[in-house]
Amino acid sequence: MSGGGFRVSPPRVSPLATRASRPPLEAAGSADAYRQTSFVLGEEVELVIDGLNLEGAIAEASSGAKYRKQQMVAALGLWSRAWLSRLEALHAVEWGNYAAAVTLVRAAADYQASALHVLRTGAAEWQEWLDGGGIAPAPDQHATEFRLHAFRAAEVLAAHEILGPIYRTAMDLSLSHFGSTLLVAGNESAPDRVLTTFGDRDFHLGLAELHLGWLARLGIAQVDALREFEGVFAIPEPAKLDSWRARAAKLAARPDRCRVETIERDGEKRYLVREWRREPRGAPKRLLL
């Protein structure tokens, strides 16, 4: 069947984002991380949740017949994966699981870049995939075939001022590099000792702020994409979307929060982590990766 013969059925949309459930008391570190995140960073958590719920409302509004076209549905699937990755990254932060959060942040940036590429190209590659038998019967295996079709948006990641830097940083921090491993599993090490942890889910202000800042910026990038392609998607309350973006931008720009900057040192790209501290009352310091 040609791509033109594929109808777009009404998407099933589950638009509600909520905070993580309270962890069981026996989950080492998690209960305290949940409490501390709520107490110290509760407004930031709610900001991320508010943004996700605004996106969910747009996805729900876009399920109407007027918007059910291949460009929308091709982007919607990737947007859904990014939305869920950001939600689960938030939940991981609430439970003190920063090792999982950074991987989910990287995935979300990748999915968002791919969705933006689909939108900017009118879903041409998606349509070509459908036309070439992307969804087809596989009688010999008594199966329905979804051809995998490797699809990346390297050009978007190379140029986008939000998605590219977050993707590249989160990629380096999520890989098995020694320095990034110490950052999440041994960050109290010093030049005279190595102090690693196993299964650490204690609250860490620097790691929590770092991830919440990334999630706010990814939300900004998604809002910008939705506004750029208003008409492909339904935007029922644009003023609320713009207001949320302004709040998120203000949060992300605060100089007192933990953040990562890319610098050059001896001709090599390095990461400088600023405002790094485990607890709010601790003196901030810097880490060089």
Side-chain angles (χ1 to χ4, degrees):
M1 181 184 296
S2 69
F6 282 91
R7 71 179 185 275
V8 177
S9 298
R12 293 196 300 268
V13 180
S14 300
L16 185 61
T18 62
R19 288 198 55 187
S21 59
R22 187 179 299 275
L25 292 176
E26 63 271 17
S30 299
D32 182 65
Y34 187 87
R35 182 182 65 81
Q36 291 269 45
T37 303
S38 300
F39 181 71
V40 179
L41 299 169
E43 289 187 10
E44 299 190 14
V45 171
E46 290 302 325
L47 174 75
V48 174
I49 289 290
D50 288 347
L52 291 169
N53 279 322
L54 285 170
E55 290 181 38
I58 292 170
E60 188 170 44
S62 301
S63 64
K66 176 182 176 181
Y67 299 96
R68 292 203 300 267
K69 299 175 182 177
Q70 293 297 346
Q71 184 182 15
M72 187 281 287
V73 77
L76 186 72
L78 291 161
W79 174 21
S80 172
R81 297 182 77 180
W83 189 89
L84 284 168
S85 293
R86 283 184 278 140
L87 178 59
E88 290 306 312
L90 176 66
H91 291 172
V93 168
E94 291 184 273
W95 277 41
N97 187 354
Y98 308 110
V102 69
T103 303
L104 289 161
V105 164
R106 181 209 62 76
D110 197 8
Y111 296 142
Q112 285 182 231
S114 296
L116 190 54
H117 181 69
V118 163
L119 290 167
R120 288 179 175 174
T121 58
E125 193 168 343
W126 167 268
Q127 190 66 62
E128 182 181 347
W129 176 76
L130 287 177
D131 291 342
I135 306 174
D140 58 321
Q141 298 297 325
H142 305 286
T144 299
E145 180 179 15
F146 296 168
R147 287 189 179 272
L148 193 58
H149 188 82
F151 178 72
R152 299 296 307 282
E155 58 270 40
V156 175
L157 290 171
H160 200 284
E161 63 180 8
I162 293 176
L163 299 177
I166 290 178
Y167 176 83
R168 289 186 288 273
T169 303
M171 172 64 83
D172 278 335
L173 298 189
S174 64
L175 292 175
S176 54
H177 303 327
F178 293 156
S180 57
T181 298
L182 276 186
L183 186 76
V184 296
N187 52 61
E188 293 187 30
S189 298
D192 62 341
R193 67 168 186 169
V194 175
L195 176 58
T196 57
T197 63
F198 182 88
D200 181 16
R201 284 151 287 173
D202 290 337
F203 176 72
H204 192 292
L205 178 63
L207 285 168
E209 285 185 333
L210 186 62
H211 286 87
L212 289 170
W214 282 336
L215 291 173
R217 287 185 175 90
L218 289 173
I220 290 170
Q222 187 60 47
V223 166
D224 290 347
L226 291 168
R227 293 295 265 152
E228 181 180 347
F229 289 94
E230 191 169 350
V232 176
F233 298 102
I235 312 291
E237 296 182 289
K240 282 190 176 181
L241 205 60
D242 295 341
S243 174
W244 181 89
R245 190 196 188 285
R247 289 166 55 207
K250 183 177 179 181
L251 167 71
R254 273 178 40 197
D256 61 329
R257 304 181 73 262
C258 184
R259 60 195 185 278
V260 177
E261 297 175 0
T262 302
I263 65 170
E264 185 174 308
R265 189 167 187 257
D266 300 327
E268 182 183 2
K269 184 189 81 170
R270 303 288 296 274
Y271 295 117
L272 182 63
V273 185
R274 295 180 180 269
E275 302 299 318
W276 178 262
R277 51 185 169 172
R278 177 174 284 277
E279 298 177 350
R281 63 177 178 269
K285 60 181 182 179
R286 297 180 179 184
L287 291 178
L288 180 64
L289 300 174

